[in-house]
Amino acid sequence: MSGSDAMRISDVLRSKGADVATVSPEVTVATLLDRLAERRVGAMVVQTADQTLVGIVSERDVVRALHSDGAALLDAPVAQIMTAEVSTAAPTDSVEHVMRVMTEQRVRHVPVVDHGRLVGIVSIGDVVKSRIDDLQSTTAHLESYITGR
C-alpha cells in the first residue's frame, strides 16, 4: 500500500476497541499483578489521578525486577519498575511506522495519544494481525484482478 492508503493506528483501534488498562504509579506491584491477571493483559499504562501518562509497566518489568529485588518487590510501588520514557503513537500514524518503533525500541505495547489524551493502546499482536489482514486483502484483490472476477 502506498501513502494515504496505508493502514493507520486509528483503523486498528476501530477494530480492536479503545479500552486501555491503566494503573496509578503508587499502586503496589502485587496489586498490578492482580490487575494484569484480571484484565488478561501483558502491560498497563501508568497514569496519575489527573490522567497524565507517566509510564508503562509490563510483565517483563516485573520479572526483571523480581530477579534482582526478590519478593520484597511485591510491596514496592509500580513507579519503581515502570518505564518512564514511553514511546507513543498517534491515531494518524501508519501501522508500518509503529511496527518500526516497536522493533527499534524493543517494546511490545505502544500507548496511543491524541492531543495529549490517552485514546488506546496497540500491542505487537494487534500490529501483526493488522498487517496479515492487509496482506490477505491485497492478495484477494490481486487474485480477482488476475482471474477477472
Side-chain angles (χ1 to χ4, degrees):
M1 290 191 132
S2 64
S4 62
D5 289 348
M7 180 80 84
R8 301 277 163 211
I9 292 302
S10 56
D11 300 322
V12 174
L13 292 179
R14 202 171 5 267
S15 81
K16 79 164 265 195
D19 184 44
V20 185
T22 63
V23 66
S24 60
E26 61 276 352
V27 163
T28 66
V29 172
T31 301
L32 166 71
L33 289 173
D34 287 342
R35 292 182 185 172
L36 286 169
E38 226 171 72
R39 297 290 299 265
R40 301 178 59 113
V41 294
M44 287 192 155
V45 174
V46 184
Q47 281 187 315
T48 58
D50 68 355
Q51 311 270 299
T52 302
L53 189 151
V54 293
I56 191 164
V57 63
S58 71
E59 293 165 327
R60 283 180 161 192
D61 296 323
V62 175
V63 169
R64 286 187 182 118
L66 268 173
H67 176 72
S68 58
D69 300 350
L73 175 75
L74 297 175
D75 295 323
V78 165
Q80 186 176 309
I81 66 165
M82 72 181 188
T83 300
E85 281 189 39
V86 183
S87 297
T88 62
T92 54
D93 286 345
S94 71
V95 169
E96 206 169 302
H97 169 74
V98 174
M99 279 180 78
R100 209 170 306 114
V101 167
M102 288 176 159
T103 303
E104 290 167 5
Q105 305 285 320
R106 297 179 58 94
V107 296
R108 295 170 172 245
H109 300 86
V110 175
V112 182
V113 177
D114 191 21
H115 297 94
R117 208 177 105 255
L118 181 66
V119 296
I121 189 167
V122 290
S123 70
I124 190 74
D126 299 328
V127 169
V128 168
K129 180 187 180 309
S130 151
R131 291 294 289 148
I132 289 170
D133 292 349
D134 197 25
L135 290 170
Q136 287 175 334
S137 173
T138 300
T139 302
H141 283 105
L142 288 172
E143 285 174 352
S144 70
Y145 175 76
I146 290 167
T147 60
R149 291 185 206 155

